[in-house]
Amino acid sequence: MNRVMDIFMTAALEEAKIGLAEGGIPIGSALVYKGRIIGRGHNRRVQKQSAILHAEMDALENAARQPAQVYQESILYTTLSPCPMCSGAIVLYGIQKVVIGENRTFMGEEKWLGSRGVQIEVLQNDECIRMMTDFIIAKPQLWHEDIGL
């Protein structure tokens, strides 16, 4: 991982850890525009009693309303492969690149994103893998609820 990616994935990992400390699901995300984080977030479905507040959605929400060009020139960093809902938001806003911490514990809609022109980079980051693996073992029912099983 190069230095710039390391900074942004580190921010996503920090968000995931915040979510876990709050009693939620440890997934974090950061939206980066021109080398600067404009929105960070973590899965807050449990904390906010939300049906849709995944990490990617939280990062988009925290980036606030932006011109379409900002989204189109942004990179989304996320600790886990994006689900169908989050992938839909990525395509809707025209985000052209997604950097994924890992997809071993959950394979999201990477093929579909790729078919829509989104560049995907998967890091298989050990810390991301370990955090999700531990969480899934500790709280399988909550994990299944989050991914709609």
Side-chain angles (χ1 to χ4, degrees), residues 1 4-20 25-32 37 39-43 55-56 59 75-80 99-102 123 125 127-128 131:
M1 194 171 359
V4 172
M5 281 185 176
D6 193 11
I7 292 167
F8 301 134
M9 188 52 69
T10 297
L13 273 163
E14 288 170 359
E15 288 293 326
K17 290 174 186 175
I18 291 168
L20 184 61
I25 299 162
I27 304 168
S29 190
L31 185 64
V32 177
I37 296 173
R40 313 168 48 130
H42 54 276
N43 186 306
E56 299 89 342
I75 300 171
L76 183 69
Y77 289 77
T78 183
T79 59
L80 187 65
V99 179
I100 298 167
E102 67 102 353
L123 304 177
N125 177 281
E127 189 171 1
C128 292
M131 189 171 11

Side-chain angles (χ1 to χ4, degrees), residues 24-90:
I25 299 162
I27 304 168
S29 190
L31 185 64
V32 177
Y33 175 67
K34 293 188 176 182
R36 183 175 65 85
I37 296 173
I38 61 170
R40 313 168 48 130
H42 54 276
N43 186 306
R44 295 192 302 157
R45 287 187 66 251
V46 173
Q47 301 91 312
K48 295 285 189 176
Q49 297 298 303
S50 170
I52 62 169
L53 207 47
H54 283 187
E56 299 89 342
M57 305 297 270
D58 195 36
L60 285 166
E61 179 71 15
N62 290 329
R65 185 175 166 203
Q66 299 291 331
Q69 183 178 354
V70 170
Y71 297 115
Q72 293 163 3
E73 295 177 8
S74 292
I75 300 171
L76 183 69
Y77 289 77
T78 183
T79 59
L80 187 65
S81 186
C83 75
M85 175 181 65
C86 296
S87 295
I90 289 163

